């Protein structure tokens, strides 16, 4: 077991798209493990009668590519078969060759199973199916390793607090093997594990059991936002919430959904007091919808290069004025950081106000990598509460804009231990050879909003 854990740690540190040799190593580990019973609920009173079953279960059909020489291949036949599946089940199969993959841009399995009448996205996907009928047994080491990698990359796209397990099926359509792939996170690193069933001889019955499973049994659970709100995508997630793109009343908006026992009533009240200020998300409703906040517009993350590609330096002044307006109301954001700065084609927004507080001493909330020097000094003294003011938000803004405009340095910062002393040391070394940035920093520490805007514009236009 210790050797298995050591080997897995070595494999998981490799890129998601990994070599044939590594796939064989991973599959070899899985094939050496004892097989387990992957229990599914019985598909009572369900039938899947189609003459295509006789074609796909014919072991002589070897062509995997569709429609070569006028003869349909196995994948093409199976895609036709999917259209004949029962329509009364919670799930439906999708041919991935005709839609975007749920396993990232580089990996594309053959079939995914997602909630019926929902967008086929990672959030709604319960199972991944890959068809193999060449190059030895369908469950050889390389094929099993690739199937596990599909599951790993799939799970990397979802909050681990929301989803840690996915079912991956590997089949030659004569028999099928199910693999439960689990991706946990401990101490800031991934921990991959998997359990594999023996080969199951009744492919049709196994697929029917998957289709008819209760969503929660297959680890699929969408937040209940009410009948009038449809989730169409996951925009992001953090320690306390997940953020979805949803449709309400025919319009796309954003839903910020808390992880229990979080409550957004305080953040909603803060946003309500800031409505009408440029750079503040607009509330769709004055109060929370359930425990969630609905906002608009739907924004784009500040990806590397986006700031300059969209000439967003033109909105720097309004961004600083937005903070000034909040500070005039004695509201301190406390979590100004790159991930919380999002944009349209012409405007930058500060989207997260969950840590906001009045100017006072309060238990620390925020992201330590972008905290002001004053906050970091207080944290070294292990105080129960931290005093914050406008200067702290402005210094975090300067640090964030530096990171946005220096992505390589930002990558280095993210590797720094999340402790006050190492973070202070890193920023001291970073600011030392940059006198123009120190001017912006000094303006921030003096809580001079207008000077901060002027300095940032001079640095970034």
């Amino acid at each position: 077991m210790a050797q298995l854990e050591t080997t897995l740690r070595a494999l998981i540190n490799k890129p998601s798209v990994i070599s044939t040799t590594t796939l064989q190593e991973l599959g070899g580990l899985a094939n050496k493990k004892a097989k387990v019973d992957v229990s599914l609920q019985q598909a009572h009173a369900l039938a899947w009668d189609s003459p295509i079953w006789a074609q796909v279960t014919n072991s002589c059909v070897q062509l995997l590519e569709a429609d070569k020489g006028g003869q349909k291949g196995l994948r093409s036949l199976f895609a036709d078969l999917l259209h004949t599946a029962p329509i009364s089940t919670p799930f439906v199969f999708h041919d991935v060759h005709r839609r975007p993959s749920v396993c990232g841009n580089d990996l594309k399995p053959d079939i995914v199973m997602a909630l019926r009448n929902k967008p086929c996205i990672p959030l709604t996907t319960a199972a991944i199916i890959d068809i193999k009928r060449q190059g030895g047994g369908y469950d050889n080491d390389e094929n099993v390793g690739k199937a596990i990698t599909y599951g790993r990359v799939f799970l990397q796209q979802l909050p681990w607090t929301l989803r840690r397990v996915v079912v991956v099926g590997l089949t030659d359509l004569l028999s099928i093997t199910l693999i439960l792939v689990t991706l946990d996170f401990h101490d800031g690193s991934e921990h991959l594990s998997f359990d594999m069933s023996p080969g199951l001889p009744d492919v049709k019955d196994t697929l029917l059991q998957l289709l008819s499973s209760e969503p929660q049994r297959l680890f699929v659970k969408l937040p209940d936002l009410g009948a009038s709100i449809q989730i169409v995508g996951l925009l992001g997630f953090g320690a306390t919430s997940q953020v979805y793109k949803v449709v309400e009343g025919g319009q796309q908006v954003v839903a910020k959904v808390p992880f229990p026992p979080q409550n957004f009533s305080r953040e909603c009240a803060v946003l309500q007091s800031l409505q009408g200020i440029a750079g503040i998300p607009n509330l769709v409703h004055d109060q929370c919808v359930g425990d969630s906040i609905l906002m608009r517009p739907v924004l784009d993350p500040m990806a590397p290069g986006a700031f300059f590609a969209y000439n967003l330096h033109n909105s720097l002044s309004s961004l600083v004025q937005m903070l000034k307006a909040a500070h005039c109301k004695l509201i301190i954001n406390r979590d100004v950081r790159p991930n919380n700065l999002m944009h349209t084609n012409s405007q930058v927004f500060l989207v997260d106000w969950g840590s906001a507080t009045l100017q006072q001493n309060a238990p620390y909330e925020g992201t330590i990598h972008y905290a002001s020097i004053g906050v970091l000094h207080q944290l070294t003294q292990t105080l129960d509460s931290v005093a914050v003011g406008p200067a702290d938000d402005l210094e975090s803004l300067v640090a964030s804009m530096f990171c946005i405009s220096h992505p390589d340095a930002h990558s280095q910062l993210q590797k720094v231990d999340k402790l006050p002393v190492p973070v202070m040391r890193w920023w001291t070394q970073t600011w030392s050879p940059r006198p123009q940035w120190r001017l912006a920093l000094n303006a921030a520490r003096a809580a001079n909003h207008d000077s901060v805007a002027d300095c940032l514009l001079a640095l970034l236009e």
Side-chain angles (χ1 to χ4, degrees):
M1 182 61 69
Q3 179 62 37
L4 174 63
E5 178 67 18
T6 300
T7 308
L8 275 177
R9 285 181 179 275
L11 290 172
I12 204 167
N13 286 328
K14 298 188 179 184
S16 299
V17 182
I18 49 183
S19 68
T20 298
T21 301
T22 308
L23 292 176
Q24 290 172 343
E25 292 173 1
L26 186 59
L29 288 172
N31 275 321
K32 289 175 183 176
K33 287 185 66 178
K35 302 299 186 287
V36 301
D37 176 28
V38 178
S39 299
L40 299 171
Q41 63 191 61
Q42 293 299 312
H44 297 296
L46 273 182
W48 189 351
D49 298 322
S50 170
I52 303 176
W53 273 111
Q55 296 175 268
V56 300
T57 55
N58 182 348
S59 60
C60 295
V61 177
Q62 295 292 331
L63 293 175
L64 286 169
E65 301 302 325
D67 306 323
K68 280 191 174 180
Q71 182 179 0
K72 283 194 172 184
L74 185 61
R75 287 184 182 137
S76 183
L77 286 169
F78 191 67
D80 291 343
L81 180 64
L82 297 182
H83 295 300
T84 69
I87 61 173
S88 59
T89 57
F91 292 101
V92 62
F93 288 119
H94 297 279
D95 179 5
V96 176
H97 300 98
R98 301 176 186 177
R99 63 180 61 245
S101 174
V102 296
C103 295
N105 297 325
D106 300 313
L107 294 173
K108 200 157 191 175
D110 295 310
I111 307 296
V112 298
M113 188 182 80
L115 287 172
R116 188 177 295 278
N117 300 322
K118 300 288 185 183
C120 183
I121 55 178
L123 197 65
T124 61
T125 296
I128 300 166
I129 310 289
D130 212 31
I131 304 171
K132 298 293 183 185
R133 197 186 283 182
Q134 85 276 22
Y138 77 93
D139 56 354
N140 64 35
D141 290 352
E142 182 179 343
N143 290 343
V144 170
K146 191 172 186 179
I148 292 170
T149 301
Y150 284 145
R152 171 193 169 194
V153 176
F154 169 84
L155 291 169
Q156 285 173 332
Q157 301 173 80
L158 293 169
W160 71 270
T161 47
L162 182 68
R163 183 80 175 273
R164 292 182 292 171
V165 185
V166 66
V167 177
V168 183
L170 190 59
T171 181
D172 60 359
L173 297 178
L174 305 175
S175 59
I176 185 169
T177 296
L178 299 180
I179 308 170
L180 290 181
V181 179
T182 302
L183 192 63
D184 280 311
F185 291 83
H186 302 297
D187 303 322
S189 60
E190 294 181 354
H191 294 262
L192 176 69
S193 60
F194 36 79
D195 290 300
M196 189 163 74
S197 77
L200 305 172
D202 195 334
V203 176
K204 182 196 297 186
D205 185 61
T206 300
L207 295 180
L208 282 172
Q209 288 180 44
L210 285 170
L211 283 171
S212 59
S213 294
E214 296 175 1
Q216 291 191 5
R217 192 183 179 99
L218 293 183
F219 318 104
V220 176
K221 182 180 180 181
L222 299 180
D224 183 8
L225 299 178
S228 64
I229 301 173
Q230 181 186 12
I231 294 174
V232 296
L234 178 69
L235 294 175
F237 55 91
T240 61
S241 66
Q242 50 210 329
V243 183
Y244 298 95
K245 181 191 293 185
V246 303
V247 173
E248 186 194 44
Q251 295 196 2
Q252 287 193 350
V253 298
V254 175
K256 185 175 181 181
V257 182
F259 293 128
Q262 302 294 324
N263 184 288
F264 287 158
S265 57
R266 184 183 73 173
E267 182 175 2
C268 191
V270 169
L271 286 169
Q272 183 64 38
S273 71
L274 298 175
Q275 290 300 282
I277 300 173
I280 297 291
N282 297 312
L283 290 174
V284 178
H285 303 284
D286 291 342
Q287 298 178 331
C288 290
V289 177
D291 293 326
S292 305
I293 301 175
L294 296 189
M295 299 173 283
R296 63 166 68 94
V298 178
L299 300 166
D300 294 316
M302 195 71 76
F307 185 83
F308 300 101
Y310 292 100
N311 294 317
L312 294 174
H313 62 275
N314 293 324
S315 67
L316 279 172
S317 179
S318 65
L319 178 64
V320 176
Q321 291 305 311
M322 174 268 294
L323 280 176
K324 186 176 182 178
H327 295 158
C328 287
K329 294 175 178 285
L330 304 183
I331 295 170
I332 310 300
N333 179 275
R334 295 200 299 172
D335 198 19
V336 180
R337 57 188 172 103
N339 283 355
N340 287 341
L341 295 171
M342 302 184 74
H343 70 96
T344 61
N345 287 350
S346 60
Q347 177 73 50
V348 178
F349 288 73
L350 181 54
V351 297
D352 190 338
W353 291 82
S355 298
T357 186
L358 298 178
Q359 268 180 261
Q360 57 186 5
N361 289 349
Y364 175 70
E365 289 185 31
T367 307
I368 196 168
H369 280 157
Y370 315 98
S372 71
I373 195 72
V375 166
L376 291 171
H377 273 304
Q378 292 180 76
L379 291 175
T380 64
Q381 301 171 36
T382 62
L383 300 174
D384 291 334
S385 60
V386 174
V388 292
D392 301 296
D393 275 354
L394 289 172
E395 187 171 338
S396 293
L397 177 63
V398 172
S400 296
M401 297 314 302
F402 175 83
C403 290
I404 287 168
S405 58
H406 296 76
D408 291 340
H410 191 199
S411 296
Q412 296 172 12
L413 173 62
Q414 290 173 316
K415 297 174 184 177
V416 175
D417 290 340
K418 295 179 180 179
L419 297 169
V421 173
V423 173
M424 281 193 290
R425 185 184 303 121
W426 189 90
W427 278 114
T428 299
Q429 294 170 350
T430 298
W431 295 135
S432 178
R434 296 177 168 90
Q436 296 304 311
W437 281 96
R438 292 204 307 273
L439 288 176
L441 196 64
N442 291 334
R445 290 172 179 171
N448 190 328
H449 295 79
D450 294 340
S451 291
V452 169
D454 292 341
C455 289
L456 288 178
L457 188 59
L459 285 162
L460 298 172
E461 66 180 351

